[in-house]
Amino acid sequence: MTDIIIQNYEKTKKEILVDFNKDSFFENWQQNETWEVSFDVTKTDFNSEVFDFVDYESSVLFNGQEFVIKAMTTSGEGAHVSKSVTATHVYYTIQDGRQYNTVTGSRSINQLLTHIFSAGNRGFSWEVVDPNKKFLTVEQENFGNDNYLKLIEEILSDYDAVVIPNNKRLTFYPRSEFGEKIEEQIRYKYNTDSVKFDIDTYSLKTQIRGSGKKKDDGSNYFSPITYTSPESDKWGIRIQDPVEDERYTVAGNMTERLKQDLQDYPSISGSVTLKWRITPKKGDYVPFIYEPLNIKTYIQIVGIKTYPALPNKPPEITLSNTKKTMTSILANLAKKGVI
């Protein structure tokens, strides 16, 4: 296991963390949602100096990445003092910056990122990787006046993007182009006996209406658009809350937005418990084969929870819940009479 180093807030001292509860240490990454490490440590004669470094806003350096202690519980039992720590990736400190100014009009992802960081880069840098020109310009209305993290999350939603931090270097990819196909498969009775799918229809809808920006004279750039999914043939007309977004001045762009937003399939999330370690990277597409449910497809890994100090404990994998992949899985579940 790579050493865990604790660095004080002032970044003047650092020590290797020793004599901690290795069973408690895990690293958890969920695409566009979280990246954190967590561990428990009790003060002993061997770690008394580094134990004092374990404090709010101190850094945990692990696998070349910096995590900042944001949550900690301190407890005592007799003469023993223990700390339970959660440290989030340094990327999330980006929320401490704010862009007060706003921009309006058609903007590319690069233009919006430039706008965010024009208020100060706070040590961050960024790049957009889009060789196939998947990112389109989007009509924005008063983009800004928020903290950096919320503005980036808005970009991820508007441009269907993924951000991968490397400490304070941020790389943005189109979601459809992030990750590589690998041949290290997840297969029933080979490296997993347990596959779990949570399925519900609480939010299933088949029709949605959208309206865009109005002109100065009060007329519309385009008439409100109603999109009805082909799934309405099966489920009937179930109306989703409308989209009212003044960033849109082109009907075709709104139609694509409605197709993307409409939840016209049951909500599905999937996870697997593996028998041993595999070594996928963030966003990799792995062959997923589960004969009992007639599932054989490439599926994207959007979450990885690992236990680096426990070499025999395999990772917990979260599978893609994109419409294309999960609709295919849903069809196979239906064929098997599961749903």
Side-chain angles (χ1 to χ4, degrees):
M1 174 181 170
T2 303
D3 286 338
I4 302 167
I5 297 173
I6 308 298
Q7 180 175 256
N8 65 352
Y9 172 69
E10 294 78 13
K11 300 189 185 303
T12 58
K13 299 178 182 179
K14 56 185 177 182
E15 293 283 345
I16 296 175
L17 181 66
V18 296
D19 205 20
F20 66 100
N21 182 354
K22 292 185 177 182
D23 289 356
S24 70
F25 186 88
F26 67 80
E27 178 183 7
N28 182 32
W29 169 80
Q30 302 292 326
Q31 181 175 290
N32 286 354
E33 293 182 12
T34 189
W35 192 0
E36 63 187 13
V37 295
S38 182
F39 60 88
D40 300 334
V41 59
T42 299
K43 190 172 186 177
T44 68
D45 291 339
F46 299 103
N47 67 15
S48 58
E49 184 172 356
V50 70
F51 185 86
D52 291 337
F53 289 176
V54 178
D55 203 353
Y56 297 104
E57 297 299 314
S58 291
S59 295
V60 179
L61 309 179
F62 176 69
N63 269 349
Q65 299 295 321
E66 181 181 0
F67 300 82
V68 180
I69 296 175
K70 291 293 185 180
M72 185 174 68
T73 300
T74 303
S75 58
E77 185 173 343
H80 299 289
V81 179
S82 300
K83 295 176 180 178
S84 295
V85 171
T86 299
T88 56
H89 194 271
V90 68
Y91 159 62
Y92 291 95
T93 65
I94 205 168
Q95 66 186 303
D96 296 333
R98 188 178 186 91
Q99 172 56 271
Y100 289 98
N101 297 326
T102 63
V103 295
T104 295
S106 182
R107 294 291 191 277
S108 68
I109 185 172
N110 285 279
Q111 289 172 318
L112 292 188
L113 288 167
T114 298
H115 175 64
I116 291 173
F117 290 104
S118 67
N121 61 32
R122 305 187 66 85
F124 285 87
S125 61
W126 55 271
E127 65 176 326
V128 174
V129 178
D130 185 21
N132 296 314
K133 308 300 181 185
K134 294 289 186 178
F135 286 133
L136 304 176
T137 58
V138 175
E139 195 72 22
Q140 299 290 337
E141 182 76 19
N142 295 324
F143 177 87
N145 195 26
D146 216 328
N147 74 59
Y148 287 5
L149 182 60
K150 287 186 177 180
L151 293 175
I152 287 176
E153 289 174 345
E154 189 174 331
I155 286 175
L156 299 180
S157 174
D158 286 352
Y159 295 84
D160 198 23
V162 173
V163 60
I164 299 297
N166 181 7
N167 289 313
K168 289 189 171 184
R169 176 69 173 178
L170 312 181
T171 305
F172 295 82
Y173 303 87
R175 187 186 300 273
S176 61
E177 305 228 332
F178 174 62
E180 299 178 358
K181 283 189 175 181
I182 64 173
E183 298 308 317
E184 194 171 25
Q185 63 184 228
I186 298 175
R187 185 169 189 152
Y188 178 63
K189 293 299 184 183
Y190 169 62
N191 58 0
T192 183
D193 291 329
S194 175
V195 177
K196 178 183 178 182
F197 290 103
D198 294 321
I199 304 171
D200 71 66
T201 59
Y202 292 118
S203 301
L204 189 150
K205 306 295 180 182
T206 58
Q207 189 178 89
I208 187 171
R209 180 173 175 168
S211 57
K213 189 175 183 178
K214 291 183 179 294
K215 298 179 182 179
D216 292 339
D217 62 6
S219 63
N220 296 312
Y221 277 90
F222 57 86
S223 298
I225 296 169
T226 298
Y227 170 72
T228 303
S229 167
E231 294 297 315
S232 62
D233 293 340
K234 177 179 181 180
W235 304 107
I237 298 297
R238 305 184 184 193
I239 301 174
Q240 187 167 313
D241 289 342
V243 172
E244 298 174 354
D245 195 330
E246 291 196 347
R247 294 174 299 176
Y248 289 86
T249 59
V250 178
N253 291 345
M254 174 57 75
T255 300
E256 291 303 312
R257 164 75 181 275
L258 296 177
K259 289 180 180 179
Q260 181 69 31
D261 282 9
L262 185 62
Q263 177 79 21
D264 60 349
Y265 59 101
S267 176
I268 306 172
S269 61
S271 61
V272 299
T273 301
L274 300 178
K275 294 179 180 178
W276 63 76
R277 285 186 179 276
I278 64 171
T279 56
K281 300 188 295 296
K282 299 176 178 69
D284 277 351
Y285 290 83
V286 298
F288 178 57
I289 304 168
Y290 196 70
E291 286 92 344
L293 297 179
N294 195 32
I295 298 171
K296 185 177 181 180
T297 185
Y298 275 90
I299 192 165
Q300 191 178 34
I301 292 174
V302 296
I304 307 174
K305 185 176 183 180
T306 59
Y307 301 84
L310 303 176
N312 294 323
K313 186 164 185 175
E316 298 171 12
I317 302 296
T318 304
L319 305 175
S320 167
N321 59 355
T322 61
K323 180 181 292 191
K324 182 179 179 181
T325 301
M326 283 306 184
T327 299
S328 173
I329 289 175
L330 182 65
N332 285 321
L333 294 177
K335 289 178 183 177
K336 285 291 183 178
V338 176
I339 57 173

